[in-house]
Amino acid sequence: MASDEKKAEILKGLHDSVVEYEEEKTVEVANEAVAEGLDAFEAIMGGLAKGMETVGDLYVRQEYFVPELLLCADALYAGLEVLKPHLKAESHAEPRKIILGVVEGDIHDIGKNLVKVMFDAAGWQVFDLGADVKIERFAEEQKKCGAQVVGLSALMTTSMLAIPRIIKTLRDSDSTVRVLVGGAPLNPDIAASYGADGYADNAGEAVEQAMKMLQQA
Amino acid sequence: MGIGNDRVSMLLKGERVDMVPVFPLGIRAFAALGVGYTMGEAYSDGEKSCRAELWAQEQYGFDGFPNFAYGPFGAWEFGGEIKFPEGEFQQAPMAVRYPVISEEDVWTLRVPDDISTAGAIPIGMAHSLTAAAAGATVMTPNAGVFTTAGNLCSVQKLARWMIKKPSLAHRMLELSRDFLIGMVQLWVDTFGKDILMYNAEPSAANQVISARHFEEFVLPYSIEVHSAALRMGIKHIMTHICGDQNLNLDHWTKIPMGDPGLLTFGHEVDLHTAIEKLGESSVIMGNVEPSLIQNGHPNDLYDACRAAIKAGKGAPRGFVLMSGCGFPPKTPPYNFFTMVKAARELGKL
Ligand code: B1M
């Protein structure tokens, strides 16, 4: 069992290697966490996910941009790969599930990919449908995987018109599903007028909003 | 053939105009729908696409000239695959297969031997031939060197390589640069030097990359492409500085645009700042938010046009009222008329 001091050092190492997008270092520290008997859930949440939170702040402050974010995400995923197999059964129980996709007609997927990273970092199980996703597919996939939340991303005024249609098919199929929307042309008012349960301005906020929606459910 | 006689062309020739011109950027899809063509034909049929734009110009009385450009330009031209818009919610082509998948592909990819037959080039050529026949100013298809490079391998791959494997990123940019210079040469050979080169750089926006990466990966290649075009005798380059490029503006001042250039801005850039930094050497165009054009109440849109005209009217080389990005195809016709009306009523010079 790692001492408190060692534990703090490992968590900081995981945090920093994600922030500094050092993939190999992240794997190294993650392996150290396993070797030292650190709880994998704690290592993920207190190290890797915390790192990604810092990365999100750096992006909002325009200190980091998409290239840096993508490399931080690579480091995060490399760390997750080491730690996930060591999660204890109780931390496996009922992960929150979200379906993510960019709506039909829209190929702008950079934002959605960053949103996905934040949900992965926060321990959600993410079903990523990619970009240009046909309207009916969201409800079909939701039925299959039972996701509590469906996240829709749209970057164009033309493609965002698909959102109310998707929401209708989702509600028709499962009245309890929560819908989160985001993307440059949207705002809270448009989101509400489309019948969405929540809107997020950026990837970090997306996770917060989704958590809120589940608490309200 | 040559530079036309509409108000935007007059500004390029240094002539006085009686009012702020309206030039909706990339109106071809809206125009195509307005004359009963499909959205797909706006991109897949150069002649129809240009004709629809000219008819829309006649109908609404706006200025400017037809343009054939689309976001994923480069993917098909280098051997990848694109899909033309067909469904209800699409507005432009999208790349479905990039020509570069692996790192090895970067070193085997070549600029197409015959640019005139590559991808959408014949469509763009048919578009320009139609414009020239109608006496409108001819413009090359899209030529943003960084955005084109991103369209060869995906922006996300290019972004990772910029930090981890810069030699791969630079190679993508060299290929893109050589292709674009070849394409501009083809247009000059066909139409003469009295044409415009068009450049759009959505992927270089600060929503995507930093000013530091702009300096390393966008600036030098843009200077090379623009300088080559100007050496060919082209006098004006129209550049769509897409999205939030506030941190890049100082770099844009270092890229030659011709005399004057034509610079179009998204709503994310304040017009006063754009004029202060670039208005001495270029006509400034912009920047009404596309989502307001499509979804806004005509009164709100009119107010937004008023604000843009007020901010832009005094620009030293002239100001053009324009959508902040591609004109939204599903815009209610009255909203477009509102923009023209605002320029007529508030833009008298
Ligand atoms: C589920 O919950 C959530 C919660 C939060 C969510 C969320 C979901 N989804 C996003 N968020 C939020 O969190 C993310 C991270 O913080 C954020 O995501 P974003 O996606 O906003 O941010 C990303 C991290 C970075 N941002 C981006 O990646 C988008 C940047 C801009 C400049 C942009 C880019 C890069 C591109 N483009 Co295009 N492009 C623009 C963009 C300008 C803008 N204002 O957004 C926009 C979106 N494009 C536009 C256009 C018109 C087009 N583009 C096109 C093409 C392209 C490129 C291929 C060149 C490239 C995309 C590459 C790619 N694979 O994604 C074409 C369309 C292609 C298609 N069929 O989809 C084309 C139609 C151009 C044409 N005529 O061909 C404009 C749309 C106008 C409109 N309102 O309709 C545009 C807004 C530019 C502008 N200034 O107006 C938040 O919005």
Side-chain angles (χ1 to χ4, degrees):
Chain A
M1 202 54 167
S3 66
D4 282 356
E5 207 175 301
K6 186 72 191 162
K7 189 170 123 187
E9 183 194 316
I10 290 174
L11 292 181
K12 183 171 180 321
L14 289 169
H15 170 280
D16 292 355
S17 55
V18 166
V19 174
E20 284 151 28
Y21 44 91
E22 290 186 35
E23 199 175 321
E24 279 169 24
K25 182 87 191 292
T26 315
V27 171
E28 208 178 282
V29 186
N31 278 321
E32 200 188 340
V34 174
E36 292 283 340
L38 218 81
D39 179 57
F41 183 74
E42 220 181 323
I44 291 174
M45 298 318 287
L48 298 176
K50 266 252 158 57
M52 222 44 223
E53 250 175 58
T54 305
V55 170
D57 288 345
L58 289 168
Y59 178 70
V60 171
R61 296 208 307 266
Q62 289 201 311
E63 287 179 40
Y64 270 17
F65 295 81
V66 169
E68 291 82 4
L69 252 69
L70 291 172
L71 293 174
C72 294
D74 291 347
L76 166 89
Y77 287 123
L80 282 177
E81 206 164 293
V82 176
L83 291 168
K84 267 191 167 167
H86 299 278
L87 282 172
K88 294 195 189 106
E90 70 266 25
S91 43
H92 269 309
E94 283 300 306
R96 300 181 190 93
K97 294 181 192 166
I98 183 164
I99 292 178
L100 284 178
V102 180
V103 304
E104 185 173 334
D106 202 329
I107 202 165
H108 296 91
D109 62 352
I110 300 174
K112 182 269 297 167
N113 291 344
L114 300 185
V115 171
K116 172 183 182 320
V117 174
M118 290 316 218
F119 277 100
D120 278 326
W124 288 59
Q125 192 175 354
V126 181
F127 298 83
D128 181 4
L129 306 185
D132 185 26
V133 181
K134 292 266 169 282
I135 290 185
E136 316 74 40
R137 246 199 95 202
F138 288 97
E140 285 163 17
E141 295 297 325
Q142 195 270 340
K143 216 176 214 161
K144 274 191 224 154
C145 72
Q148 301 96 329
V149 181
V150 174
L152 308 173
S153 179
L155 266 284
M156 296 191 294
T157 39
T158 327
S159 62
M160 76 182 189
L161 300 176
I163 292 178
R165 297 265 288 273
I166 298 169
I167 293 180
K168 184 170 183 320
T169 60
L170 283 165
R171 302 265 188 249
D172 287 349
S173 141
D174 176 354
S175 61
T176 65
V177 69
R178 302 270 135 184
V179 184
L180 174 69
V181 299
L186 294 159
N187 59 39
D189 293 340
I190 300 181
S193 75
Y194 285 172
D197 301 293
Y199 161 83
D201 199 46
N202 57 58
E205 220 177 83
V207 179
E208 263 171 53
Q209 279 295 331
M211 293 299 293
K212 239 189 241 166
M213 281 166 21
L214 286 190
Q215 278 153 16
Q216 285 159 3
Chain B
M1 237 184 283
I3 305 289
N5 290 313
D6 66 284
R7 289 186 186 84
V8 180
S9 300
M10 285 168 73
L11 286 175
L12 292 178
K13 292 186 253 185
E15 292 170 12
R16 274 186 61 84
V17 292
D18 56 345
M19 61 173 264
V20 166
V22 182
F23 181 0
L25 179 70
I27 197 171
R28 85 201 69 88
F30 172 85
L33 296 178
V35 298
Y37 295 154
T38 63
M39 187 89 83
E41 283 171 323
Y43 290 94
S44 64
D45 187 321
E47 193 183 327
K48 278 187 172 172
S49 157
C50 182
R51 213 171 283 294
E53 282 183 74
L54 294 166
W55 283 333
Q57 194 158 18
E58 184 188 354
Q59 180 183 358
Y60 293 96
F62 60 87
D63 288 281
F65 19 85
N67 105 320
F68 183 82
Y70 61 91
F73 187 70
W76 186 20
E77 289 65 29
F78 272 82
E81 216 178 303
I82 63 162
K83 186 170 99 178
F84 286 109
E86 51 193 22
E88 200 182 330
F89 305 106
Q90 303 186 8
Q91 78 172 70
M94 53 179 82
V96 290
R97 185 174 53 79
Y98 295 105
V100 169
I101 310 288
S102 67
E103 292 183 12
E104 293 70 48
D105 294 342
V106 174
W107 302 110
T108 53
L109 190 72
R110 294 278 171 269
V111 173
D113 289 335
D114 181 0
I115 290 178
S116 71
T117 58
I121 296 292
I123 306 171
M125 185 56 81
H127 185 278
S128 288
L129 286 167
T130 311
T137 300
V138 168
M139 188 151 64
T140 67
N142 198 9
V145 70
F146 184 78
T147 298
T148 303
N151 291 336
L152 303 184
C153 60
S154 91
V155 188
Q156 287 154 97
K157 219 170 252 167
L158 184 66
R160 284 186 166 92
W161 288 342
M162 278 160 45
I163 295 179
K164 289 281 174 180
K165 300 196 170 167
S167 63
L168 295 181
H170 281 294
R171 178 71 190 143
M172 298 312 303
L173 281 147
E174 285 160 12
L175 287 164
S176 157
R177 171 200 63 199
D178 294 348
F179 166 67
L180 295 174
I181 292 175
M183 183 189 74
V184 176
Q185 185 67 60
L186 174 67
W187 252 254
V188 170
D189 292 346
T190 311
F191 300 100
K193 56 189 172 43
D194 281 336
I195 59 170
L196 262 67
M197 187 190 112
Y198 181 62
N199 175 0
E201 279 294 12
S203 298
N206 297 130
Q207 281 121 336
V208 185
I209 64 166
S210 62
R212 190 175 66 73
H213 278 140
F214 187 101
E215 185 174 16
E216 183 178 349
F217 293 97
V218 188
L219 180 64
Y221 298 99
S222 302
I223 291 177
E224 286 184 282
V225 175
H226 285 214
S227 302
L230 296 171
R231 274 197 305 276
M232 288 174 211
I234 287 181
K235 292 192 195 72
H236 315 283
I237 296 172
M238 174 164 159
T239 300
H240 176 46
I241 299 181
C242 186
D244 173 359
Q245 302 232 10
N246 286 294
L247 304 174
N248 299 336
L249 291 181
D250 287 332
H251 293 313
W252 280 109
T253 64
K254 299 170 206 152
I255 302 172
M257 295 287 171
D259 186 23
L262 267 177
L263 297 183
T264 97
F265 292 90
H267 64 275
E268 298 92 341
V269 174
D270 177 56
L271 280 177
H272 293 103
T273 315
I275 292 167
E276 189 189 306
K277 289 194 186 284
L278 292 139
E280 287 297 335
S281 51
S282 290
V283 176
I284 301 296
M285 314 202 268
N287 67 349
V288 185
E289 185 173 356
S291 95
L292 183 68
I293 297 175
Q294 179 181 297
N295 300 313
H297 187 282
N299 292 350
D300 296 335
L301 179 57
Y302 191 85
D303 286 346
C305 294
R306 184 203 305 276
I309 292 169
K310 186 164 175 251
K313 213 171 169 180
R317 307 298 292 262
F319 173 70
V320 179
L321 183 67
M322 194 179 233
S323 42
C325 194
F327 192 83
K330 300 281 171 73
T331 298
Y334 189 77
N335 276 15
F336 181 35
F337 169 73
T338 298
M339 290 182 71
V340 177
K341 186 169 93 160
R344 282 189 192 139
E345 290 175 0
L346 309 168
K348 292 214 176 62
L349 295 170

